[in-house]
Amino acid sequence: GKNLVSGFITQEFRQSVNQVLSSALLGKETANFEFPLFTKSGERKDILLNATTRRGPGGEVIGVIGVGQDITKIREVTDEHERIADDLSRLIETANAPIFGVDTQGRVTE
């Protein structure tokens, strides 16, 4: 098969992905490592990778087991929420009118 790092990982992330895989070959697990992967059609996917050592029956290292999750949609929603929160914070900070909070009893709380 194709080499995972050189065949599927962008140049920018090859060194870090290779480090994760190399560490797993030495028995050091990596959890929640994020990197982009591009589909055959060129679409970017954000991947959350967990890598662990794969061992044979005698305990010898025989490879790496990698579990990748496509977190593209989650990342998009999170980014949008952060953008909205930033916009609201800027609006409040630059408002030329009083901004206040009222509780359910009609009392001013902020």
Side-chain angles (χ1 to χ4, degrees), residues 42-55:
E43 184 180 0
R44 178 189 167 122
K45 298 289 183 180
D46 292 320
I47 304 297
L48 183 67
L49 175 69
N50 294 312
T52 189
T53 306
R54 181 175 181 194
R55 297 186 182 274

Side-chain angles (χ1 to χ4, degrees), residues 5 13-26 28 30 33 51:
V5 175
F13 284 88
R14 284 183 184 160
Q15 184 177 352
S16 56
V17 171
N18 195 50
Q19 181 60 48
V20 167
L21 298 175
S22 295
S23 292
L25 288 171
L26 297 174
K28 181 182 176 199
T30 299
F33 177 77

Side-chain angles (χ1 to χ4, degrees), residues 91-105:
L91 176 66
I92 290 169
E93 290 171 5
T94 61
N96 289 326
I99 298 174
F100 53 89
V102 178
D103 68 13
T104 58
Q105 307 299 312

Side-chain angles (χ1 to χ4, degrees), residues 1-109:
K2 273 188 165 180
N3 180 281
L4 173 66
V5 175
S6 63
F8 299 96
I9 308 299
T10 61
Q11 185 66 38
E12 178 184 1
F13 284 88
R14 284 183 184 160
Q15 184 177 352
S16 56
V17 171
N18 195 50
Q19 181 60 48
V20 167
L21 298 175
S22 295
S23 292
L25 288 171
L26 297 174
K28 181 182 176 199
E29 296 182 4
T30 299
N32 301 326
F33 177 77
E34 293 183 36
F35 67 97
L37 199 61
F38 289 87
T39 65
K40 288 181 182 180
S41 64
E43 184 180 0
R44 178 189 167 122
K45 298 289 183 180
D46 292 320
I47 304 297
L48 183 67
L49 175 69
N50 294 312
T52 189
T53 306
R54 181 175 181 194
R55 297 186 182 274
E60 72 280 8
V61 175
I62 60 170
V64 173
I65 296 176
V67 178
Q69 277 183 284
D70 180 354
I71 59 167
T72 307
K73 295 292 181 197
I74 293 169
R75 177 70 59 227
E76 289 171 1
V77 169
T78 301
D79 290 348
E80 179 66 10
H81 285 172
E82 288 174 3
R83 187 192 64 73
I84 291 169
D86 289 345
D87 288 349
L88 290 173
S89 292
R90 277 193 300 281
L91 176 66
I92 290 169
E93 290 171 5
T94 61
N96 289 326
I99 298 174
F100 53 89
V102 178
D103 68 13
T104 58
Q105 307 299 312
R107 295 178 295 222
V108 176
T109 58

